[in-house]
Amino acid sequence: MAAMKLISLRSVHKTASFHFSLRQNPIHRNFVRAFSAIMSPPSMAVVYDNHGPPDQLTKIVEIPPVEIKENDVCVKMLAAPINPSDINRIEGVYPVRPVPPAVGGYEGVGEVYAVGCGVQGLSPGDWVIPSPPSFGTWQSYIVKEKNVWHKINKDTPMEYAATVTVNPLTAFRMLQDFVQLNPGDAIVQNGATSMVGQCVIQLARTQGVHSINIIRDRAGADKVKERLKYLGADEVFTESQLVVKNVKDMLGTLPEPALGFNCVGGNASTLVLKFLRSGGTMVTYGGMSKKPVTTSTSAFIFKVSKSTLRIIVLNK
């Protein structure tokens, strides 16, 4: 899985992730376990008041201190990614989204700064992630109830801890939930360079499952293919390579895939379907092209005539 670049909060509009590195005065550096009402430090946050273009609407503001109640945990955020779904939430096009005004972000990793007097099992200095993910991780301090936070090993690389919840788990569940895959089986996916796509390749490899991967035509495509094969991909094709009469001739000794993943839509989803065996399943979990999922008439007539071609839309 590609490492997440950690950068200054001030560059959040133009990059894929950010790192909180705010200067603290001496009193803020002292960890606190309170037996009376205490307050969090003021927090710097990336907020938006309305839905629309993130580069125009997001702003960095200071949020006043928040009371840390009996069962609350105050977490100093260390790193958080910017996922495509985060951008879609700000734009107002993602189905699951907070009502603005809101703080951006949905996952990340932080260090426990202080705990309420009733909290057991977490102490200042512990590393935690929100589990399940929760809104508002693009801020320097977060105060939420203890049951929101899951303690993790501090030896975990920060960029992995910050990104473990959304993309790797999506890949894992898709490989587990729709088709019983056995060693020697194959899957096919478009969007193979996405974080989910890269996780699918690696997880499939550990299960002994072959992966056929489709990427966009681009400059440096050969280097992209090499990188994906290094991760464990069996085959990597550009979309233009698949403009042939029978794509399955390109599989060589690999079996026809039983399962396909589509995160692009449009013609890219048709390419996934072309590879699937009769009775195969295609799971759609994204639509980066912003085009409808399309399929050929022959896929419905001839594949469905033998068994059932399933097309599943997954809301991750």
Side-chain angles (χ1 to χ4, degrees):
M1 183 167 58
M4 182 182 68
K5 183 179 179 182
L6 301 180
I7 62 167
S8 167
L9 178 61
R10 293 182 180 179
S11 301
V12 66
H13 298 308
K14 299 182 180 180
T15 185
S17 55
F18 58 86
H19 180 223
F20 294 107
S21 181
L22 301 179
R23 181 177 299 173
Q24 304 298 318
N25 62 44
I27 192 171
H28 289 166
R29 287 196 293 266
N30 294 326
F31 289 137
V32 179
R33 177 177 285 275
F35 294 92
S36 59
I38 56 174
M39 306 296 287
S40 72
S43 179
M44 302 300 295
V46 179
V47 304
Y48 55 99
D49 295 325
N50 299 287
H51 289 132
D55 58 342
Q56 298 178 23
L57 295 180
T58 54
K59 56 187 177 181
I60 299 175
V61 303
E62 181 175 299
I63 296 178
V66 177
E67 180 183 350
I68 303 172
K69 299 179 181 178
E70 180 180 0
N71 295 314
D72 286 346
V73 176
C74 175
V75 173
K76 177 184 178 181
M77 293 302 294
L78 302 174
I82 300 178
N83 290 311
S85 55
D86 294 321
I87 300 301
N88 293 155
R89 287 187 178 94
I90 297 173
E91 292 171 333
V93 299
Y94 200 78
V96 182
R97 59 183 184 267
V99 177
V103 177
Y106 193 58
E107 65 173 339
V109 62
E111 182 178 73
V112 175
Y113 176 83
V115 299
C117 61
V119 172
Q120 301 293 325
L122 288 178
S123 301
D126 289 341
W127 277 24
V128 292
I129 60 174
S131 183
S134 57
F135 302 123
T137 57
W138 293 355
Q139 55 184 311
S140 52
Y141 290 91
I142 301 177
V143 176
K144 291 190 177 182
E145 289 191 355
K146 189 257 183 183
N147 59 10
V148 169
W149 303 105
H150 177 76
K151 183 178 177 180
I152 65 168
N153 193 322
K154 292 181 71 171
D155 293 335
T156 306
M158 186 183 296
E159 64 270 26
Y160 289 4
T163 59
V164 71
T165 309
V166 173
N167 295 310
L169 292 184
T170 297
F172 178 77
R173 296 287 2 146
M174 291 196 303
L175 285 167
Q176 296 293 319
D177 290 354
F178 301 102
V179 172
Q180 178 63 51
L181 294 171
N182 300 309
D185 287 342
I187 61 98
V188 58
Q189 65 170 345
N190 58 33
T193 57
S194 69
M195 188 60 72
V196 173
Q198 294 179 58
C199 291
V200 164
I201 291 170
Q202 295 172 81
L203 291 170
R205 189 73 168 187
T206 65
Q207 298 175 28
V209 173
H210 303 290
S211 65
I212 297 102
N213 302 273
I214 304 168
I215 63 174
R216 291 181 294 108
D217 290 274
R218 69 187 77 188
D222 289 340
K223 290 185 177 180
V224 174
K225 291 180 180 181
E226 290 178 8
R227 178 163 58 87
L228 295 181
K229 288 188 175 181
Y230 175 79
L231 294 178
D234 290 272
E235 293 288 352
V236 184
F237 301 109
T238 60
E239 292 180 356
S240 63
Q241 285 182 278
L242 302 179
V243 184
V244 294
K245 187 173 183 180
N246 189 356
V247 297
K248 292 181 180 180
D249 290 341
M250 306 178 72
L251 290 177
T253 59
L254 294 177
E256 294 181 7
L259 179 62
F261 301 135
N262 164 52
C263 68
V264 180
N267 183 61
S269 58
T270 303
L271 296 176
V272 171
L273 288 169
K274 285 183 177 181
F275 275 108
L276 283 182
R277 73 186 186 192
S278 294
T281 297
M282 183 176 80
V283 178
T284 289
Y285 68 97
M288 297 307 296
S289 70
K290 298 184 179 179
K291 296 179 181 178
V293 174
T294 58
T295 184
S296 65
T297 302
S298 62
F300 278 109
I301 294 176
F302 296 106
K303 291 187 177 182
V304 174
S305 66
K306 296 180 180 180
S307 53
T308 302
L309 173 67
R310 299 200 301 164
I311 302 178
I312 297 170
V313 177
L314 172 68
N315 179 10
K316 72 168 182 172

